[in-house]
Amino acid sequence: MSDTASSVQGRRILLPETAKLLSPVALTGEFYPSSLWDGGTHSTLPHVAPVPHPKGLAGAFLDSVRELTEDARAIGVQLSGGLDSLATLVYVHRVANGRPVYAFTVDLTDDQGKGAVPVVRRLLRDFGLTGVELVVIDPKGERGVPRWSAAGPRLDALPDLNAVVAREAAARGVDILLSGSGADELLGVPRYGTGAVARRQGGRAAWRYAADASRSGAGLMGEGMAAAARLLPSSARARLYWAMNWPEWCGAEATPVLAEPYRAMAAEWSRAWVWEQINDHAANGRGWFAADAYDAFFPHELIPAAGEVREDSPFLTPGFISAAFAVPLADRYGAALPTPYLRAKALVVGLFPEGTAGLLPQHKQYFSAALEGQAARFDAASDLVTADVGLIDREALGRESDVSVLLAVASLEAWMRGAVERGAVIG
């Protein structure tokens, strides 16, 4: 559906479908459950057949970057200081051939008090990314307003800052703004892989994998249960996997911020969706390792551009996705790498030149304060379209402290208000 006002003039937003955005699975999974429009259609990122690339994953990534930047006169990269966006910039630098390259970094401070900009400056220096112009965005400065999309509310965590990046990119004549989006979901190491890693890489690697796995999720108990579950019929194996992997989604209720009857509708839909996933895993005979890899990536939404500049990720082109799923799952783990973060990102580390692992960030940065600040800017006591139409319970919203819920409601409110301004009807 087009983003133009004429495309939504007189169209009806369906509140039962919109309520699903605040269901337990959609909140955590960050996807649109269905079309929000009467008579509309909806599709997430499609499945592609796994096909190995003749030059390996690095060759597939190079092709992906070339494909996306082929017609661009100037190229921008949203550079966070993490591995994924850095890999994107390294390959953009490789194919630029004299074209201007800009790296846009928001000057956030992580949970350990470390700023993103010093990290980025060091990476630019260490990787010899000469000619790349660094543009620093001040998060305390003027916020932007992201471009409205008929697809639905923004699913990105900091849309106001992403809009500023898009504006600055447009001011510099950037034709495409790339990111590292999708890499974690597509290439991350799944849980329940101790046995697979042992068969592929040997016992020493499996012990290290198990030690890393013990730090999160179901831990060592989950690894043991996954091994035992291989003896079960596929249906029982899939049900037990879901109960172990996603306990919060088993019989979960929707957030009380949703008003009735929409809260009950969202919860009922969530439970039905869970059973669809369980049955799909069973029908396809997926073990726990494969099921977790599948659930990490599907369903996957492509977030609309925040401004006028085209946005994309080389991790999310059909060709790269196809090549990534052709890599054996156990190869996603890099036992020889020095930190759990790098070991879990082995396929991304493998995109960098050999011998540069020591130059890479050794730990993942988290920016909780930025998310909390974004949620705090949402005025739950103001006039809300979502409350006026009976979708949101204002009293429950006033008591809500969950940042993810507040950000989702703020995004939904901005989207619905924009739809009304374009002539949409809510009902």
Side-chain angles (χ1 to χ4, degrees):
M1 183 181 290
S2 169
D3 288 350
T4 63
S6 60
S7 71
V8 301
Q9 179 72 37
R11 295 293 301 275
R12 185 174 297 278
I13 297 174
L14 303 175
L15 290 180
E17 301 305 310
T18 307
K20 294 176 184 177
L21 293 167
L22 295 176
S23 66
V25 294
L27 265 176
T28 307
E30 299 179 328
F31 65 94
Y32 303 135
S34 59
S35 173
L36 308 181
W37 299 93
D38 184 17
T41 58
H42 171 70
S43 61
T44 56
L45 197 65
H47 292 61
V48 295
V51 178
H53 192 279
K55 295 185 179 180
L57 206 57
F61 196 66
L62 182 61
D63 285 352
S64 185
V65 171
R66 280 179 173 154
E67 172 191 333
L68 292 174
T69 61
E70 183 179 11
D71 298 325
R73 294 161 297 178
I75 308 166
V77 176
Q78 291 182 283
L79 189 61
S80 66
L83 293 184
D84 308 328
S85 58
L86 176 62
T88 298
L89 181 61
V90 167
Y91 279 70
V92 164
H93 185 262
R94 187 182 301 180
V95 305
N97 293 325
R99 292 176 291 179
V101 176
Y102 299 92
F104 298 90
T105 298
V106 180
D107 191 13
L108 298 175
T109 300
D110 70 9
D111 293 357
Q112 305 302 317
K114 181 183 295 185
V117 171
V119 173
V120 164
R121 292 191 188 279
R122 179 186 67 77
L123 292 172
L124 292 176
R125 181 194 69 234
D126 289 353
F127 280 86
L129 299 176
T130 57
V132 174
E133 181 177 335
L134 177 61
V135 180
V136 176
I137 307 298
D138 181 4
K140 298 178 182 178
E142 181 184 357
R143 295 278 172 143
V145 178
R147 182 182 181 184
W148 186 86
S149 170
R154 302 288 307 184
L155 298 178
D156 44 343
L158 300 170
D160 297 354
L161 291 176
N162 291 337
V164 176
V165 172
R167 185 182 67 207
E168 293 298 319
R172 288 163 174 78
V174 168
D175 294 305
I176 185 166
L177 185 60
L178 298 180
S179 69
S181 178
D184 278 338
E185 298 86 347
L186 180 64
L187 301 178
V189 176
R191 289 167 281 200
Y192 317 117
T194 301
V197 171
R199 291 188 292 274
R200 184 79 178 173
Q201 301 187 34
R204 187 181 297 273
W207 277 112
R208 175 159 270 193
Y209 173 92
D212 288 343
S214 70
R215 297 183 174 96
S216 63
L220 291 178
M221 182 178 70
E223 297 299 310
M225 291 287 288
R230 295 178 63 197
L231 303 175
L232 297 174
S234 60
S235 179
R237 183 171 65 236
R239 290 196 302 271
L240 186 57
Y241 155 76
W242 201 273
M244 179 66 69
N245 208 42
W246 307 108
E248 69 275 18
W249 289 357
C250 296
E253 296 297 324
T255 170
V257 165
L258 273 175
E260 295 291 4
Y262 303 111
R263 184 185 180 201
M265 291 177 179
E268 182 180 1
W269 174 82
S270 267
R271 290 189 285 269
W273 184 88
V274 164
W275 277 109
E276 287 178 9
Q277 309 316 303
I278 292 172
N279 291 335
D280 182 68
H281 287 321
N284 286 280
R286 297 187 189 104
W288 289 25
F289 195 40
D292 193 46
Y294 182 93
D295 289 339
F297 191 69
F298 295 110
H300 197 98
E301 296 288 348
L302 293 176
I303 298 176
E308 298 302 317
V309 177
R310 183 165 64 99
E311 296 181 25
D312 215 321
S313 168
F315 290 98
L316 293 176
T317 61
F320 186 77
I321 294 172
S322 176
F325 274 113
V327 176
L329 287 180
D331 287 357
R332 295 189 183 187
Y333 185 70
L337 293 168
T339 67
Y341 174 56
L342 293 183
R343 291 194 288 272
K345 301 278 291 183
L347 292 187
V348 178
V349 174
L351 298 176
F352 291 93
E354 187 174 355
T356 59
L359 302 177
L360 296 171
Q362 303 294 296
H363 306 279
K364 185 176 180 64
Q365 286 184 289
Y366 294 93
F367 300 96
S368 300
L371 298 178
E372 291 168 0
Q374 180 79 6
R377 276 185 285 275
F378 174 51
D379 184 4
S382 63
D383 291 336
L384 301 177
V385 173
T386 47
D388 291 343
V389 299
L391 182 65
I392 296 299
D393 183 317
R394 187 182 290 278
E395 290 186 6
L397 181 62
R399 297 189 296 270
E400 185 59 62
S401 59
D402 188 309
V403 170
S404 64
V405 173
L406 292 173
L407 289 176
V409 174
S411 182
L412 180 55
E413 173 67 23
W415 179 78
M416 196 169 284
R417 192 174 290 276
V420 171
E421 292 171 355
R422 289 163 174 78
V425 178
I426 301 175

